[in-house]
Amino acid sequence: MSAVRLVLLGRQGAGKGTQATRLSEHYGAPHISTGDMFRAAVADGTELGQRAAEIMDRGDLVPDEITIGIVRERLAKDDVRSQGVLLDGFPRNVTQAAELEGLAAPIGGLHAVVNIDVPLDEVRERMRQRGRGDDTDEAIDRRLELYERETEPLIEFYRGRDLLVTVDGLGTMDEVFDRLVAAVDEVKGRS
Ligand code: AMP
């Protein structure tokens, strides 16, 4: 199968990161997670990391020009052209999504935007149990609120472009993964 180019959407705690890693292995496409890139920059103590650390701890979004800049650089690498891409955590708002259209066009555009759907109560509980360093109750609430306000509108944005695929995110990791692969294969089969 030729290179697949996908965006994964889903509330924090929907299992997006885990599924992105597995899909990336399954399709041989690089997994690009802006959250992972920012966490790496924080760990390395780079200038970007120092700016991002405080913002991430609050559960706020890193400014668009910074985020779009790192994604633009990453998408320009050869592996994306030859092996495709699994975008996880980007885009997070309509500005980023509009920018992504321009960045994805030269590499063939997106095949699908897959929304892993998990109800709010369920993700809240999952995130509390996950207990990552930046998962304070305040940060969790802030991220979920930002998701509803900034990221949810992308569902309509991509529905309008006929790219949206919704997959039920409840069940075991394997069940959700199988649903994702079935959905992506169907879309790829049509393209
Ligand atoms: P994540 O691992 O995707 O939950 O991202 C962790 C944190 O990194 C977020 O809470 C944001 O502070 C920041 N971040 C990740 N992706 C983006 C993005 N596309 N735009 C702005 N900030 C982001």
Side-chain angles (χ1 to χ4, degrees):
M1 188 184 273
S2 57
V4 69
R5 291 175 298 276
L6 303 173
V7 167
L8 283 187
L9 289 181
R11 294 190 174 94
Q12 292 81 356
K16 189 165 42 77
T18 310
Q19 298 294 353
T21 304
R22 293 186 64 177
L23 288 168
S24 154
E25 281 162 15
H26 182 83
Y27 291 108
H31 173 199
I32 301 184
S33 156
T34 40
D36 284 352
M37 288 162 98
F38 289 134
R39 277 184 289 277
V42 172
D44 291 346
T46 63
E47 205 183 308
L48 165 67
Q50 287 173 21
R51 274 191 77 181
E54 225 182 284
I55 297 170
M56 291 169 77
D57 282 343
R58 285 200 305 265
D60 281 337
L61 294 183
V62 176
D64 284 338
E65 67 274 16
I66 296 179
T67 307
I68 290 163
I70 65 164
V71 172
R72 176 183 293 117
E73 253 177 56
R74 183 62 187 87
L75 289 181
K77 300 214 159 119
D78 286 344
D79 60 343
V80 172
R81 194 167 288 273
S82 56
Q83 291 159 242
V85 67
L86 265 159
L87 278 166
D88 161 17
F90 183 94
R92 267 244 206 339
N93 60 32
V94 171
T95 305
Q96 294 180 6
E99 198 69 35
L100 177 60
E101 292 194 298
L103 297 178
I107 53 170
L110 298 170
H111 292 107
V113 174
V114 184
N115 180 32
I116 305 179
D117 190 32
V118 177
L120 200 54
D121 288 348
E122 172 73 17
V123 293
R124 210 186 283 277
E125 193 45 41
R126 287 186 190 180
M127 282 172 82
R128 292 226 162 87
Q129 286 172 10
R130 183 167 81 174
R132 208 167 67 189
D134 56 350
D135 280 350
T136 60
D137 279 358
E138 294 73 33
I140 291 171
D141 287 344
R142 175 84 186 125
R143 281 197 218 102
L144 289 173
E145 177 197 315
L146 267 179
Y147 190 86
E148 303 312 304
R149 200 177 70 212
E150 300 286 329
T151 314
E152 278 271 311
L154 297 184
I155 292 184
E156 287 314 313
F157 180 96
Y158 285 120
R159 204 196 306 278
R161 282 159 176 74
D162 241 356
L163 285 171
L164 187 75
V165 177
T166 300
V167 167
D168 178 5
L170 290 178
T172 66
M173 254 167 35
D174 287 344
E175 283 165 352
V176 177
F177 179 70
D178 290 346
R179 281 177 213 145
L180 287 165
V181 169
V184 172
D185 286 350
E186 201 202 318
V187 169
K188 276 287 281 171
R190 274 192 258 132
S191 71

